[in-house]
Amino acid sequence: EAGVTQSPTHLIKTRGQQATLRCSPISGHTSVYWYQQALGLGLQFLLWYDEGEERNRGNFPPRFSGRQFPNYSSELNVNALELEDSALYLCASSLPHHHPLNTEAFFGQGTRLTVV
Amino acid sequence: AQSVTQPDIHITVSEGASLELRCNYSYGATPYLFWYVQSPGQGLQLLLKYFSGDTLVQGIKGFEAEFKRSQSSFNLRKPSVHWSDAAEYFCAVASNTGNQFYFGTGTSLTVIP
């Protein structure tokens, strides 16, 4: 069974541009989480989507946005890129939030975004 | 609010030595607790998790962790470290009512010969 897949693996953008990152969850998983892992800052929670709706977002400016599609895949969009947006962006998926066995998130390999 | 603290930013141990990585959490009820490992350039892999029951949890790769409610801790241990264990280790807590995962800032492990 395929795990969580993210694309692209690497992305280089210039300051001010927009970046779109994609995530495909494990089959049967409806919850998708996005995290930013900047150097030295650990994992910072960005967004949580479940069954097509945004359930929660972390302490990030509005230029970080996303959506979840009917097939539960997800996009993360970062507008007006700044140099400090350079980071590894990790996507994770889990079973539906109401599922009693939903107690584990599976992570993708991440997208390395570099803003120059 | 939930939070996780990993007091050690970086730890260096000799191969074959024992290892303990510290994790303290803040949560009002019994949390779900996790340890993940991240090898360079990779995503996160689950090492072990605690939901309830036996407070000593066994994981993959010879790791174990002990939940101590009185100390709000969930420290990760391994009796004998291998060079391949060099990685970043993250402790995480999740509520038992939702899917919000909170991660610590991670502990970087270096293993020397």
Side-chain angles (χ1 to χ4, degrees):
Chain A
E1 180 181 341
V4 177
T5 57
Q6 292 186 245
S7 62
T9 306
H10 293 83
L11 188 59
I12 300 176
K13 293 284 187 178
T14 57
R15 195 168 49 183
Q17 283 189 312
Q18 178 197 46
T20 298
L21 288 64
R22 297 178 177 83
C23 173
S24 293
I26 291 172
S27 177
H29 286 190
T30 64
S31 273
V32 171
Y33 313 82
W34 287 96
Y35 290 87
Q36 181 195 65
Q37 187 178 21
L39 193 62
L41 294 179
L43 278 79
Q44 304 294 317
F45 169 69
L46 271 164
L47 290 160
W48 168 30
Y49 292 95
D50 184 66
E51 297 183 344
E53 296 188 15
E54 182 179 302
R55 301 290 183 176
N56 201 358
R57 66 178 291 128
N59 188 26
F60 280 83
R63 58 190 186 83
F64 286 84
S65 65
R67 54 180 172 168
Q68 187 177 35
F69 299 98
N71 66 354
Y72 306 116
S73 66
S74 177
E75 273 184 2
L76 173 68
N77 295 293
V78 188
N79 294 319
L81 284 165
E82 300 178 2
L83 296 178
E84 52 265 34
D85 296 334
S86 295
L88 180 68
Y89 289 83
L90 290 167
C91 172
S93 75
S94 71
L95 289 167
H97 77 280
H98 56 274
H99 195 290
L101 294 180
N102 181 18
T103 50
E104 181 178 342
F106 295 83
F107 284 80
Q109 303 280 58
T111 292
R112 173 73 63 185
L113 173 64
T114 302
V115 183
V116 298
Chain B
Q2 296 110 324
S3 67
V4 177
T5 302
Q6 292 181 247
D8 305 306
I9 297 174
H10 186 257
I11 284 181
T12 299
V13 298
S14 298
E15 191 168 14
S18 63
L19 170 71
E20 182 169 27
L21 302 183
R22 296 183 291 167
C23 173
N24 294 96
Y25 67 90
S26 173
Y27 184 65
T30 300
Y32 292 160
L33 295 161
F34 306 81
W35 274 99
Y36 285 87
V37 60
Q38 184 182 33
S39 298
Q42 301 296 311
L44 274 70
Q45 180 184 22
L46 181 69
L47 282 175
L48 47 79
K49 56 189 176 186
Y50 170 80
F51 300 147
S52 64
D54 192 348
T55 56
L56 184 62
V57 180
Q58 302 297 320
I60 63 172
K61 304 184 180 184
F63 285 93
E64 66 177 26
E66 186 172 10
F67 170 58
K68 294 185 177 180
R69 184 189 303 275
S70 61
Q71 298 177 19
S72 296
S73 69
F74 189 57
N75 294 348
L76 181 71
R77 300 193 295 250
K78 186 169 184 177
S80 178
V81 171
H82 188 262
W83 64 266
S84 61
D85 293 326
E88 189 89 16
Y89 291 81
F90 292 93
C91 181
V93 62
S95 69
N96 55 15
T97 57
N99 282 355
Q100 188 64 287
F101 288 85
Y102 296 88
F103 285 85
T105 51
T107 297
S108 177
L109 175 65
T110 297
V111 180
I112 57 178

mmCIF file of all heavy atoms in Angstrom, chain A residues 53-76:
data_model
loop_
_atom_site.group_PDB
_atom_site.id
_atom_site.type_symbol
_atom_site.label_atom_id
_atom_site.label_comp_id
_atom_site.label_asym_id
_atom_site.label_seq_id
_atom_site.Cartn_x
_atom_site.Cartn_y
_atom_site.Cartn_z
ATOM 1 N N GLU A 53 -12.814 19.802 4.955
ATOM 2 C CA GLU A 53 -12.941 21.075 5.654
ATOM 3 C C GLU A 53 -11.681 21.399 6.438
ATOM 4 O O GLU A 53 -11.016 20.510 6.968
ATOM 5 C CB GLU A 53 -14.127 21.042 6.624
ATOM 6 C CG GLU A 53 -15.473 20.889 5.946
ATOM 7 C CD GLU A 53 -16.614 21.047 6.931
ATOM 8 O OE1 GLU A 53 -16.391 21.546 8.051
ATOM 9 O OE2 GLU A 53 -17.740 20.656 6.579
ATOM 10 N N GLU A 54 -11.386 22.679 6.529
ATOM 11 C CA GLU A 54 -10.285 23.118 7.372
ATOM 12 C C GLU A 54 -10.752 23.061 8.822
ATOM 13 O O GLU A 54 -11.697 23.727 9.213
ATOM 14 C CB GLU A 54 -9.852 24.534 7.009
ATOM 15 C CG GLU A 54 -8.665 25.014 7.839
ATOM 16 C CD GLU A 54 -8.225 26.425 7.463
ATOM 17 O OE1 GLU A 54 -7.885 26.652 6.290
ATOM 18 O OE2 GLU A 54 -8.244 27.295 8.364
ATOM 19 N N ARG A 55 -10.068 22.292 9.618
ATOM 20 C CA ARG A 55 -10.461 22.101 11.016
ATOM 21 C C ARG A 55 -9.678 22.991 11.971
ATOM 22 O O ARG A 55 -10.172 23.352 13.033
ATOM 23 C CB ARG A 55 -10.237 20.646 11.433
ATOM 24 C CG ARG A 55 -11.006 19.641 10.611
ATOM 25 C CD ARG A 55 -12.496 19.688 10.852
ATOM 26 N NE ARG A 55 -13.197 18.658 10.108
ATOM 27 C CZ ARG A 55 -14.502 18.439 10.198
ATOM 28 N NH1 ARG A 55 -15.246 19.183 10.990
ATOM 29 N NH2 ARG A 55 -15.058 17.467 9.489
ATOM 30 N N ASN A 56 -8.469 23.278 11.607
ATOM 31 C CA ASN A 56 -7.650 24.083 12.492
ATOM 32 C C ASN A 56 -6.458 24.613 11.710
ATOM 33 O O ASN A 56 -6.073 24.033 10.679
ATOM 34 C CB ASN A 56 -7.151 23.244 13.676
ATOM 35 C CG ASN A 56 -6.750 24.097 14.873
ATOM 36 O OD1 ASN A 56 -6.815 25.327 14.811
ATOM 37 N ND2 ASN A 56 -6.339 23.455 15.940
ATOM 38 N N ARG A 57 -5.924 25.746 12.140
ATOM 39 C CA ARG A 57 -4.708 26.248 11.539
ATOM 40 C C ARG A 57 -3.780 26.767 12.622
ATOM 41 O O ARG A 57 -4.231 27.192 13.696
ATOM 42 C CB ARG A 57 -4.988 27.305 10.484
ATOM 43 C CG ARG A 57 -5.578 28.599 10.996
ATOM 44 C CD ARG A 57 -5.756 29.585 9.818
ATOM 45 N NE ARG A 57 -4.481 30.041 9.298
ATOM 46 C CZ ARG A 57 -4.121 30.004 8.019
ATOM 47 N NH1 ARG A 57 -4.933 29.495 7.111
ATOM 48 N NH2 ARG A 57 -2.963 30.462 7.625
ATOM 49 N N GLY A 58 -2.520 26.701 12.341
ATOM 50 C CA GLY A 58 -1.523 27.157 13.290
ATOM 51 C C GLY A 58 -1.313 28.654 13.197
ATOM 52 O O GLY A 58 -2.017 29.369 12.487
ATOM 53 N N ASN A 59 -0.310 29.123 13.890
ATOM 54 C CA ASN A 59 -0.044 30.550 13.973
ATOM 55 C C ASN A 59 0.803 31.005 12.783
ATOM 56 O O ASN A 59 1.976 31.353 12.926
ATOM 57 C CB ASN A 59 0.655 30.856 15.299
ATOM 58 C CG ASN A 59 0.799 32.335 15.542
ATOM 59 O OD1 ASN A 59 0.014 33.123 15.021
ATOM 60 N ND2 ASN A 59 1.803 32.714 16.301
ATOM 61 N N PHE A 60 0.204 31.001 11.617
ATOM 62 C CA PHE A 60 0.874 31.426 10.395
ATOM 63 C C PHE A 60 0.033 32.500 9.715
ATOM 64 O O PHE A 60 -1.191 32.512 9.858
ATOM 65 C CB PHE A 60 1.060 30.233 9.446
ATOM 66 C CG PHE A 60 2.242 29.361 9.797
ATOM 67 C CD1 PHE A 60 2.126 28.382 10.759
ATOM 68 C CD2 PHE A 60 3.462 29.539 9.162
ATOM 69 C CE1 PHE A 60 3.210 27.584 11.097
ATOM 70 C CE2 PHE A 60 4.546 28.740 9.483
ATOM 71 C CZ PHE A 60 4.420 27.770 10.451
ATOM 72 N N PRO A 61 0.666 33.376 8.957
ATOM 73 C CA PRO A 61 -0.098 34.445 8.290
ATOM 74 C C PRO A 61 -1.020 33.882 7.212
ATOM 75 O O PRO A 61 -0.831 32.752 6.742
ATOM 76 C CB PRO A 61 1.002 35.334 7.686
ATOM 77 C CG PRO A 61 2.205 34.457 7.588
ATOM 78 C CD PRO A 61 2.110 33.496 8.740
ATOM 79 N N PRO A 62 -2.005 34.682 6.803
ATOM 80 C CA PRO A 62 -3.007 34.220 5.826
ATOM 81 C C PRO A 62 -2.433 33.851 4.470
ATOM 82 O O PRO A 62 -3.104 33.151 3.692
ATOM 83 C CB PRO A 62 -3.962 35.431 5.701
ATOM 84 C CG PRO A 62 -3.763 36.195 6.949
ATOM 85 C CD PRO A 62 -2.330 36.008 7.341
ATOM 86 N N ARG A 63 -1.222 34.279 4.174
ATOM 87 C CA ARG A 63 -0.674 33.917 2.866
ATOM 88 C C ARG A 63 -0.346 32.416 2.796
ATOM 89 O O ARG A 63 -0.042 31.903 1.722
ATOM 90 C CB ARG A 63 0.566 34.767 2.560
ATOM 91 C CG ARG A 63 1.669 34.668 3.567
ATOM 92 C CD ARG A 63 2.749 35.734 3.318
ATOM 93 N NE ARG A 63 3.873 35.534 4.214
ATOM 94 C CZ ARG A 63 4.835 34.669 3.968
ATOM 95 N NH1 ARG A 63 4.828 33.984 2.847
ATOM 96 N NH2 ARG A 63 5.824 34.516 4.833
ATOM 97 N N PHE A 64 -0.413 31.745 3.940
ATOM 98 C CA PHE A 64 -0.360 30.285 3.962
ATOM 99 C C PHE A 64 -1.801 29.782 3.937
ATOM 100 O O PHE A 64 -2.585 30.064 4.861
ATOM 101 C CB PHE A 64 0.335 29.765 5.218
ATOM 102 C CG PHE A 64 1.814 29.946 5.229
ATOM 103 C CD1 PHE A 64 2.372 31.155 5.627
ATOM 104 C CD2 PHE A 64 2.668 28.918 4.848
ATOM 105 C CE1 PHE A 64 3.755 31.327 5.631
ATOM 106 C CE2 PHE A 64 4.042 29.081 4.859
ATOM 107 C CZ PHE A 64 4.589 30.291 5.246
ATOM 108 N N SER A 65 -2.139 29.076 2.888
ATOM 109 C CA SER A 65 -3.503 28.576 2.781
ATOM 110 C C SER A 65 -3.469 27.210 2.111
ATOM 111 O O SER A 65 -2.429 26.761 1.632
ATOM 112 C CB SER A 65 -4.374 29.537 1.982
ATOM 113 O OG SER A 65 -3.920 29.613 0.642
ATOM 114 N N GLY A 66 -4.605 26.588 2.075
ATOM 115 C CA GLY A 66 -4.654 25.290 1.425
ATOM 116 C C GLY A 66 -6.074 24.868 1.171
ATOM 117 O O GLY A 66 -7.030 25.630 1.378
ATOM 118 N N ARG A 67 -6.188 23.660 0.693
ATOM 119 C CA ARG A 67 -7.503 23.084 0.518
ATOM 120 C C ARG A 67 -7.371 21.575 0.443
ATOM 121 O O ARG A 67 -6.285 21.026 0.219
ATOM 122 C CB ARG A 67 -8.153 23.618 -0.757
ATOM 123 C CG ARG A 67 -7.325 23.444 -2.027
ATOM 124 C CD ARG A 67 -8.050 24.008 -3.216
ATOM 125 N NE ARG A 67 -7.217 24.025 -4.420
ATOM 126 C CZ ARG A 67 -7.695 24.262 -5.632
ATOM 127 N NH1 ARG A 67 -8.982 24.497 -5.813
ATOM 128 N NH2 ARG A 67 -6.876 24.261 -6.684
ATOM 129 N N GLN A 68 -8.518 20.943 0.615
ATOM 130 C CA GLN A 68 -8.565 19.492 0.488
ATOM 131 C C GLN A 68 -9.615 19.143 -0.548
ATOM 132 O O GLN A 68 -10.737 19.654 -0.525
ATOM 133 C CB GLN A 68 -8.904 18.830 1.830
ATOM 134 C CG GLN A 68 -8.802 17.306 1.787
ATOM 135 C CD GLN A 68 -9.057 16.655 3.133
ATOM 136 O OE1 GLN A 68 -9.880 17.130 3.921
ATOM 137 N NE2 GLN A 68 -8.356 15.568 3.413
ATOM 138 N N PHE A 69 -9.244 18.275 -1.434
ATOM 139 C CA PHE A 69 -10.106 17.904 -2.545
ATOM 140 C C PHE A 69 -11.024 16.739 -2.174
ATOM 141 O O PHE A 69 -10.798 16.068 -1.166
ATOM 142 C CB PHE A 69 -9.240 17.539 -3.753
ATOM 143 C CG PHE A 69 -8.381 18.682 -4.230
ATOM 144 C CD1 PHE A 69 -7.056 18.764 -3.852
ATOM 145 C CD2 PHE A 69 -8.918 19.680 -5.028
ATOM 146 C CE1 PHE A 69 -6.254 19.825 -4.282
ATOM 147 C CE2 PHE A 69 -8.138 20.737 -5.451
ATOM 148 C CZ PHE A 69 -6.807 20.809 -5.079
ATOM 149 N N PRO A 70 -12.046 16.485 -3.013
ATOM 150 C CA PRO A 70 -12.967 15.372 -2.696
ATOM 151 C C PRO A 70 -12.278 14.022 -2.542
ATOM 152 O O PRO A 70 -12.797 13.155 -1.826
ATOM 153 C CB PRO A 70 -13.919 15.381 -3.897
ATOM 154 C CG PRO A 70 -13.942 16.804 -4.350
ATOM 155 C CD PRO A 70 -12.528 17.291 -4.144
ATOM 156 N N ASN A 71 -11.135 13.842 -3.181
ATOM 157 C CA ASN A 71 -10.429 12.562 -3.012
ATOM 158 C C ASN A 71 -9.471 12.596 -1.810
ATOM 159 O O ASN A 71 -8.668 11.685 -1.645
ATOM 160 C CB ASN A 71 -9.659 12.205 -4.286
ATOM 161 C CG ASN A 71 -8.523 13.180 -4.566
ATOM 162 O OD1 ASN A 71 -8.373 14.182 -3.883
ATOM 163 N ND2 ASN A 71 -7.726 12.873 -5.578
ATOM 164 N N TYR A 72 -9.593 13.654 -1.001
ATOM 165 C CA TYR A 72 -8.830 13.858 0.239
ATOM 166 C C TYR A 72 -7.380 14.259 0.026
ATOM 167 O O TYR A 72 -6.669 14.475 1.015
ATOM 168 C CB TYR A 72 -8.923 12.650 1.176
ATOM 169 C CG TYR A 72 -10.344 12.270 1.471
ATOM 170 C CD1 TYR A 72 -10.868 11.040 1.076
ATOM 171 C CD2 TYR A 72 -11.180 13.163 2.129
ATOM 172 C CE1 TYR A 72 -12.194 10.716 1.328
ATOM 173 C CE2 TYR A 72 -12.507 12.840 2.381
ATOM 174 C CZ TYR A 72 -13.009 11.621 1.981
ATOM 175 O OH TYR A 72 -14.317 11.308 2.224
ATOM 176 N N SER A 73 -6.932 14.367 -1.204
ATOM 177 C CA SER A 73 -5.615 14.945 -1.410
ATOM 178 C C SER A 73 -5.674 16.421 -1.035
ATOM 179 O O SER A 73 -6.762 16.998 -0.888
ATOM 180 C CB SER A 73 -5.153 14.768 -2.854
ATOM 181 O OG SER A 73 -5.979 15.518 -3.731
ATOM 182 N N SER A 74 -4.520 17.008 -0.887
ATOM 183 C CA SER A 74 -4.491 18.374 -0.365
ATOM 184 C C SER A 74 -3.411 19.191 -1.042
ATOM 185 O O SER A 74 -2.414 18.658 -1.541
ATOM 186 C CB SER A 74 -4.239 18.340 1.150
ATOM 187 O OG SER A 74 -4.138 19.643 1.684
ATOM 188 N N GLU A 75 -3.640 20.468 -1.089
ATOM 189 C CA GLU A 75 -2.656 21.439 -1.566
ATOM 190 C C GLU A 75 -2.352 22.437 -0.470
ATOM 191 O O GLU A 75 -3.244 22.830 0.280
ATOM 192 C CB GLU A 75 -3.213 22.226 -2.764
ATOM 193 C CG GLU A 75 -2.997 21.600 -4.110
ATOM 194 C CD GLU A 75 -3.495 22.505 -5.226
ATOM 195 O OE1 GLU A 75 -3.975 23.617 -4.957
ATOM 196 O OE2 GLU A 75 -3.427 22.051 -6.380
ATOM 197 N N LEU A 76 -1.101 22.820 -0.402
ATOM 198 C CA LEU A 76 -0.687 23.926 0.450
ATOM 199 C C LEU A 76 -0.181 25.021 -0.465
ATOM 200 O O LEU A 76 0.681 24.777 -1.306
ATOM 201 C CB LEU A 76 0.417 23.501 1.425
ATOM 202 C CG LEU A 76 1.038 24.607 2.259
ATOM 203 C CD1 LEU A 76 0.029 25.147 3.267
ATOM 204 C CD2 LEU A 76 2.295 24.108 2.972
#
